[in-house]
Amino acid sequence: MISGDLMNNPFSFPRLNLAFFLGLILLIASILVNSGFAYDSSGSANSSGNGFDFDYSIAERFAPANATGSMFNMSVDPHWIVGTHSFWYQKTSRNGHEFVLADLQNGTKKPAFNHSQLARSLSHATGEMVDPANLPFDEITIRLESNEIEFSAFNRTMQFNLSSGQVDEAPAGRKTETEAGPGEMLSPDGRLVAFVHDHNLWIKVTETGEKYPLTVDGTEDYAYAERSDTVSHPVSLARLDEKAAPYLVWSPDSRMIATFKMDQRNVTEMHLLQCSPDNGTRSSRPKLWTYRFALPADKAIPMYEPAVADVLKRETILASFQAQPEVSLMDTDDDVLQWWSDNSKELYSLYAQRGEKALLLLKIDPKSGAIEKIIEEKGRTYVEANLDYASPPNVRVLKNGEVIWFSEKSGYGHMYLYGKDGRQICPITSGDWAVRELLLVDGNSSMVYFTAGGREPGRDPYYRHLYRCNLSGGDLQLLTTEDADHDIEVDPQGTAFIDTYSRVDEPPVSVVRDLNGTVILDLEKGDIENITDMGWMPPERYRVKALDGRTDLYGLIVKPTSFNASLKYPVVETVYPGPW
């Protein structure tokens, strides 16, 4: 099996570096595609014995659900502790599961608590057997003020005192961290929850449970805070009995909501026939699913009218601008088209024309709905806000009104500084390479931190590296020197980065770096010894010239585990189009 270097792969794993896991998935596909099929030099088919059974068993062995249990220390999913430079994460090692506390200020990490002591105390308090290497919970709340860990186990909310080692029931009435339920979105202050009911936008007060509507005129195909059937996968949601999160953005002060009123009333229907029964049913009759699905060249496509809701006044207004056609930036659960200023006084939005050959930056007055156009860019092909499909735009409006704007007008994706009048001031980055993600703008130093690819000679241009430069375009510095793909997360206070880097042939390594790129804390190093002992081989990275004889193409060759160099194997091209 041959694949391009798909760093924008549709599969996702929580905080698992994509490059390495892509290699594992492609190996499974290669085993399945080539099961029992090979050809000798004359072109005759060859298979030995029960080739299908043997190869499928190997593929099953390397399926993610099985293989991940044989890999350790592969990821770091940080849970930040408010008001500190610390976070906790849960690691999976050869000794089991362990909660780890990382302190960036002191550059240290340690067990978040005594796991054996907690297991003994929890067993004594509940009468249940508790394994310290596999505690019966995955989430904790660290309460610094009382030196306690709070968690839920055996249908009870418990607390573990770090000083005494005692486990007790958490006090009744104690204020706990509010979490949004299915189909809900929590406000920044945790006091309110937004949700959709009967295609209208509603609010729930978390403390009292009071519910009230912000809109009343929404209908099935003309709905508030919903995405269209074309991108929301309604059949899958219905079969899985899941609710989509509302499509909206809370203001930082929790008083306003930016959203859209989605109109798919004239979109043509699509029909799917389900011939396999659902789990637990015996019906052999096919089931018809009908929903609305737009196709290329359709006259009617889903349209989105920008709207702003005032939570306190309990009213919603539609912004005075043309409806937004559904574009690639909307093919994600998160509303990345709209964002608020830090003071919640201005709402900003991107407007992409159908065909995505024009992109506008708009400023919206949330009180009146009036709109001001700041920047407009047009092109012969796509005008994108990010090279990564449906990812947050590489656009920032600075406190002084200037704008960092992403553009491919030079032939490569780069950032430019624009004035509040919409005129370009200067390029921030330039050259024969591409910016991937704008991560952080340090207002104190006027430095911009971002990931990019293709700048370092001899390296795979799809691999992301961390860089910084100043707003005027000078002092460009590479902050991650390792030849690998770097998955970067910025700490909430903008003082450090969590960097998990890997390649398809190298397991992930997780570290913490300061703003200079210096490693200040080693977190985890992936352990894949078990799967290599099972016969796993990494894909082979390759580089070839395109037909023009100049352009380098990068990709992967994934061979079956039973590969025989004297035989020929089929190459299968796979695609993943809709409808679904």
Side-chain angles (χ1 to χ4, degrees):
M1 181 174 183
I2 299 179
S3 169
D5 207 343
L6 303 177
M7 292 313 302
N8 300 321
N9 181 297
F11 302 101
S12 64
F13 300 85
R15 291 297 299 168
L16 300 182
N17 190 271
L18 187 58
F20 180 81
F21 281 86
L22 174 61
L24 184 62
I25 291 173
L26 291 176
L27 174 62
I28 299 166
S30 173
I31 295 171
L32 294 177
V33 166
N34 294 299
S35 293
F37 293 100
Y39 299 84
D40 58 25
S41 58
S42 66
S44 301
N46 273 281
S47 64
S48 58
N50 194 13
F52 277 103
D53 293 339
F54 175 75
D55 284 333
Y56 271 94
S57 67
I58 296 177
E60 183 178 6
R61 184 190 308 168
F62 292 120
N66 298 326
T68 52
S70 299
M71 299 183 290
F72 310 102
N73 308 328
M74 299 294 283
S75 64
V76 171
D77 182 15
H79 298 259
W80 298 94
I81 302 172
V82 178
T84 73
H85 291 271
S86 301
F87 64 89
W88 66 265
Y89 64 96
Q90 188 181 30
K91 64 180 287 186
T92 300
S93 69
R94 291 180 176 272
N95 298 321
H97 300 282
E98 180 183 0
F99 291 88
V100 180
L101 179 64
D103 183 343
L104 306 191
Q105 191 165 8
N106 296 314
T108 61
K109 71 167 186 175
K110 63 180 181 180
F113 50 85
N114 187 319
H115 292 60
S116 297
Q117 188 180 49
L118 186 149
R120 288 193 301 269
S121 297
L122 181 58
S123 180
H124 178 75
T126 62
E128 303 282 352
M129 295 293 295
V130 180
D131 180 0
N134 292 282
L135 294 171
F137 52 87
D138 296 315
E139 298 283 336
I140 60 175
T141 299
I142 298 179
R143 298 190 176 279
L144 299 176
E145 70 280 1
S146 57
N147 201 31
E148 292 172 335
I149 302 290
E150 188 172 294
F151 57 91
S152 295
F154 308 118
N155 298 316
R156 300 159 69 179
T157 301
M158 315 293 290
Q159 64 182 22
F160 174 63
N161 189 288
L162 295 172
S163 299
S164 67
Q166 187 75 23
V167 169
D168 298 294
E169 293 265 7
R174 168 186 276 182
K175 183 176 178 59
T176 59
E177 293 183 6
T178 305
E179 296 183 358
E184 297 179 342
M185 186 169 292
L186 188 67
S187 63
D189 63 9
R191 299 173 59 188
L192 303 172
V193 164
F195 66 100
V196 173
H197 175 65
D198 287 339
H199 311 291
N200 281 291
L201 182 58
W202 282 63
I203 292 295
K204 180 178 72 175
V205 181
T206 57
E207 186 173 352
T208 65
E210 177 195 0
K211 301 177 182 179
Y212 58 88
L214 294 178
T215 67
V216 295
D217 60 331
T219 60
E220 181 177 3
D221 293 318
Y222 195 25
Y224 288 94
E226 293 184 16
R227 294 192 301 149
S228 78
D229 291 353
T230 304
V231 294
S232 64
H233 315 304
V235 175
S236 296
L237 289 173
R239 294 187 63 205
L240 297 172
D241 193 26
E242 294 181 350
K243 293 182 179 180
Y247 193 61
L248 57 83
V249 181
W250 278 98
S251 63
D253 64 4
S254 301
R255 295 190 54 172
M256 309 286 284
I257 290 175
T259 187
F260 294 94
K261 189 177 185 183
M262 181 274 299
D263 186 359
Q264 61 176 6
R265 290 172 294 180
N266 297 318
V267 176
T268 305
E269 289 183 339
M270 176 67 70
H271 307 281
L272 296 180
L273 195 62
Q274 178 184 342
C275 297
S276 300
D278 287 316
N279 292 336
T281 65
R282 297 183 178 181
S283 174
S284 59
R285 292 183 179 275
K287 184 175 182 179
L288 179 66
W289 294 90
T290 299
Y291 60 106
R292 299 188 182 275
F293 193 94
L295 295 174
D298 281 357
K299 183 177 180 180
I301 64 173
M303 302 294 288
Y304 292 75
E305 301 170 16
V308 181
D310 188 315
V311 176
L312 298 185
K313 293 182 179 179
R314 303 189 182 189
E315 61 183 24
T316 301
I317 60 173
L318 295 177
S320 55
F321 201 76
Q322 56 190 313
Q324 165 70 59
E326 193 165 73
V327 293
S328 62
L329 279 166
M330 309 176 89
D331 195 7
T332 174
D333 293 338
D334 299 322
D335 180 0
V336 301
L337 280 177
Q338 301 173 306
W339 67 94
W340 292 88
S341 61
D342 292 340
N343 61 12
S344 302
K345 292 183 178 180
E346 290 89 25
L347 172 64
Y348 296 96
S349 180
L350 292 180
Y351 177 89
Q353 292 183 359
R354 185 177 183 181
E356 303 186 43
K357 294 184 178 181
L359 187 66
L360 287 70
L361 173 62
L362 307 175
K363 178 179 171 181
I364 303 174
D365 183 340
K367 294 182 179 180
S368 67
I371 287 184
E372 174 189 351
K373 182 173 67 175
I374 301 177
I375 296 175
E376 179 177 8
E377 181 175 339
K378 297 180 179 180
R380 293 184 298 104
T381 57
Y382 279 155
V383 178
E384 302 173 289
N386 192 316
L387 294 182
D388 295 333
Y389 184 80
S391 293
N394 289 325
V395 179
R396 295 288 190 279
V397 179
L398 306 180
K399 290 183 178 181
N400 63 1
E402 294 178 342
V403 179
I404 297 176
W405 182 255
F406 178 85
S407 174
E408 296 173 89
K409 58 187 176 182
S410 70
Y412 290 85
H414 283 293
M415 296 180 294
Y416 299 81
L417 185 64
Y418 279 71
K420 61 177 69 177
D421 58 0
R423 297 182 180 181
Q424 180 180 317
I425 298 174
C426 66
I428 298 175
T429 60
S430 61
D432 295 349
W433 48 278
V435 170
R436 295 289 294 276
E437 182 180 9
L438 172 57
L439 294 170
L440 173 68
V441 180
D442 188 337
N444 295 324
S445 63
S446 297
M447 299 298 289
V448 183
Y449 294 81
F450 59 94
T451 57
R455 183 178 180 271
E456 306 309 313
R459 296 191 180 183
D460 190 324
Y462 290 95
Y463 287 173
R464 298 165 294 176
H465 293 278
L466 177 63
Y467 296 88
R468 74 175 177 187
C469 68
N470 59 46
L471 280 171
S472 61
D475 197 23
L476 178 64
Q477 301 174 49
L478 170 67
L479 302 182
T480 51
T481 58
E482 299 85 357
D483 183 10
D485 180 63
H486 294 260
D487 185 16
I488 306 291
E489 178 170 339
V490 186
D491 88 285
Q493 301 188 37
T495 60
F497 304 95
I498 297 178
D499 176 16
T500 299
Y501 60 90
S502 77
R503 300 194 317 216
V504 293
D505 54 355
E506 291 183 3
V509 175
S510 297
V511 299
V512 178
R513 300 179 186 272
D514 64 17
L515 294 184
N516 296 316
T518 303
V519 174
I520 59 174
L521 182 60
D522 293 310
L523 295 174
E524 303 297 336
K525 185 175 183 179
D527 176 357
I528 62 169
E529 182 178 348
N530 282 13
I531 63 167
T532 55
D533 289 345
M534 291 160 53
W536 180 79
M537 296 289 291
E540 295 180 18
R541 303 163 63 211
Y542 71 86
R543 180 176 64 179
V544 295
K545 293 294 183 183
L547 290 178
D548 63 9
R550 301 188 306 272
T551 306
D552 285 329
L553 300 178
Y554 294 77
L556 307 172
I557 299 177
V558 186
K559 300 175 181 177
T561 53
S562 57
F563 177 75
N564 185 335
S566 66
L567 300 177
K568 296 181 179 180
Y569 294 83
V571 176
V572 177
E573 180 183 13
T574 61
V575 295
Y576 49 94
W580 39 79

